[in-house]
Each structure stands twice: as C-alpha cells, then as structure tokens.
Amino acid sequence: MVGPRRAIVASDGVFTYDDLDDASKRVAGSLLADNEDLNQTRVAFLVHPSFAYAAVQRGIWGAGGVAVPLAVSHPPAELEYVIRDSGASLVVADEAWAPTLAPPGRAAGAPFVTVDEAVHRGDG
C-alpha cells in the first residue's frame, strides 16, 4: 500500500496533500468567519516561501477570494501601494511583517491576520 503523497518539500518540512488540504481549509474558515463566500474579495498576503505560503494562497482561493501576493523583496512603501491599489479588504502575513503591514492595512480598511492565526485556527 502506498502512503500519503508528498505535496511540498520545503525548508520547514515535508507535507502531504492531506496536510495542505487541512491547512488551507483552516485558512479559508478563518478568512470566511461567518460568511459563506468571500465573493472575490481581494486578500493581500505576504508569506515567506514555505508550506504556509501554499496553504494561505490555496485557502484564499478556497474561500472564494482573489489572492494578491506581496513580494518579500519589496520595500514597505511598495507593499502599501499594492494593498491600496489592489483594493485588498484583508491582509494576511507572517508575524514579522505585522509592524510593516498592519498600519497600511488599517488605513485601507483591511484588517490584518497573522499566518499563524489563519493556518492554525481551529487546531485541536
């Protein structure tokens, strides 16, 4: 019998498709809150290349949102511009980016959610 298929091999570990599916469903649930669908709401996200990046992007899509990836190499002013210009209604990022992204997100009316909150919310 064949074991679970690997989906992602990254610096933070080896993850199966089941791992990715579970994490992306938690992200989607976190983003949806009490809504049934994000109805193409734009969600800006800044996550270092990792399993979490794939889980967040897939979770946004699964919730019915439009993923707006932000580049870790861009300066704060450019990140703020993309958040505003894209019309993002929510910002998801690594905790390390909170000081940079939370203020422009708030200014644009887009609440900030950490990756940890989004990926691990609902874990038992």
Side-chain angles (χ1 to χ4, degrees), residues 14-76:
V14 177
F15 303 90
T16 67
Y17 283 96
D18 288 341
D19 295 332
L20 181 58
D21 189 48
D22 291 344
S24 64
K25 284 179 181 176
R26 286 193 302 273
V27 170
S30 176
L31 299 177
L32 286 169
D34 293 329
N35 301 305
E36 289 187 31
D37 192 312
L38 289 179
N39 295 311
Q40 298 184 9
T41 295
R42 285 162 182 77
V43 180
F45 72 104
L46 182 60
V47 181
H48 284 87
S50 62
F51 171 74
Y53 184 99
V56 168
Q57 184 173 38
R58 190 169 179 207
I60 292 168
W61 293 336
V66 175
V68 179
L70 301 170
V72 296
S73 62
H74 288 172

Side-chain angles (χ1 to χ4, degrees), residues 79-88 103-109:
L79 297 171
E80 181 176 349
Y81 171 79
V82 174
I83 291 168
R84 288 182 183 279
D85 189 57
S86 69
R106 278 193 302 272

Side-chain angles (χ1 to χ4, degrees), residues 89-114:
S89 297
L90 188 62
V91 177
V92 178
D94 292 325
E95 184 68 40
W97 287 100
T100 302
L101 295 180
R106 278 193 302 272
F112 179 83
V113 176
T114 67

